[in-house]
Amino acid sequence: VIGLVIGKTDVRSFPDRKNIGTERYTFNFTIRDSPTYFINVQSWGREEYVRSLSESFRVGDCVTIENPLIQSKEAEREEKFNPVTPSGYKLLLSENHSVVKTSSCYNTDTRLLALLHLPVKDPQDYYSLGDIVANGQSLHGRVLNVLAAVMAVSE
């Protein structure tokens, strides 16, 4: 699978239930290969493997993923922490079987670069900040998708 990395989480650790006293590490990222299709990728393993993999690429890089495990996603649980994808599946990376290679999008496919700035949500599924200000009371308690632009960043 070749795609553009459009999102990435930090590395996290969890107690390993099978080996008490040790920890397992994980991080997720999302790749996209067309305006319509993108998929979440999850990596689990030893700290050295997960940190090294996470540090090998960043958002905006093109990656080639070889030998991932294709797994059905648990939509309710997984989509709390990852972008909602149009696929019913996710890719799972294994230290022993999977390989992730980075390359320049210019070398791979320049059309991938245009995908970096496309929203992952339906354009009809957003509220503008003006809508929220005008209808704040009626929206109270609802989860909303917001479309806004950053005008300035400062201390």
Side-chain angles (χ1 to χ4, degrees):
V1 176
I2 298 174
L4 178 73
V5 178
I6 61 169
K8 183 177 166 188
T9 67
D10 292 330
V11 173
R12 300 179 318 271
S13 65
F14 296 93
D16 190 337
R17 291 183 206 149
K18 294 178 183 174
N19 299 313
I20 305 301
T22 63
E23 295 194 346
R24 292 184 70 203
Y25 288 77
T26 185
F27 84 103
N28 299 337
F29 60 100
T30 305
I31 62 169
R32 181 177 225 162
D33 67 357
S34 74
T36 309
Y37 296 106
F38 48 97
I39 193 165
N40 291 319
V41 184
Q42 187 173 45
S43 175
W44 283 91
R46 297 178 306 112
E47 180 178 14
E48 300 80 23
Y49 166 71
V50 171
R51 286 197 189 283
S52 174
L53 181 60
S54 175
E55 292 168 2
S56 71
F57 61 88
R58 63 181 191 259
V59 171
D61 286 347
C62 288
V63 294
T64 302
I65 301 173
E66 298 175 1
N67 297 322
L69 176 65
I70 300 168
Q71 199 172 53
S72 296
K73 67 180 177 185
E74 299 170 40
E76 208 172 284
R77 195 175 115 229
E78 293 177 29
E79 291 180 348
K80 284 182 184 177
F81 308 106
N82 296 302
V84 176
T85 63
S87 171
Y89 302 95
K90 65 179 178 182
L91 302 180
L92 189 61
L93 301 180
S94 157
E95 183 173 2
N96 296 324
H97 298 98
S98 306
V99 176
V100 178
K101 299 175 186 173
T102 59
S103 61
S104 165
C105 287
Y106 292 109
N107 295 339
T108 308
D109 189 342
T110 55
R111 293 174 297 185
L112 289 175
L113 286 174
L115 303 175
L116 186 58
H117 301 291
L118 289 179
V120 294
K121 289 283 194 175
D122 179 345
Q124 306 305 315
D125 192 23
Y126 288 107
Y127 283 84
S128 70
L129 294 177
D131 292 339
I132 294 169
V133 170
N135 303 303
Q137 289 298 327
S138 64
L139 300 173
H140 183 72
R142 292 185 53 199
V143 175
L144 305 174
N145 295 315
V146 178
L147 180 59
V150 176
M151 292 179 56
V153 177
S154 64
E155 288 186 28

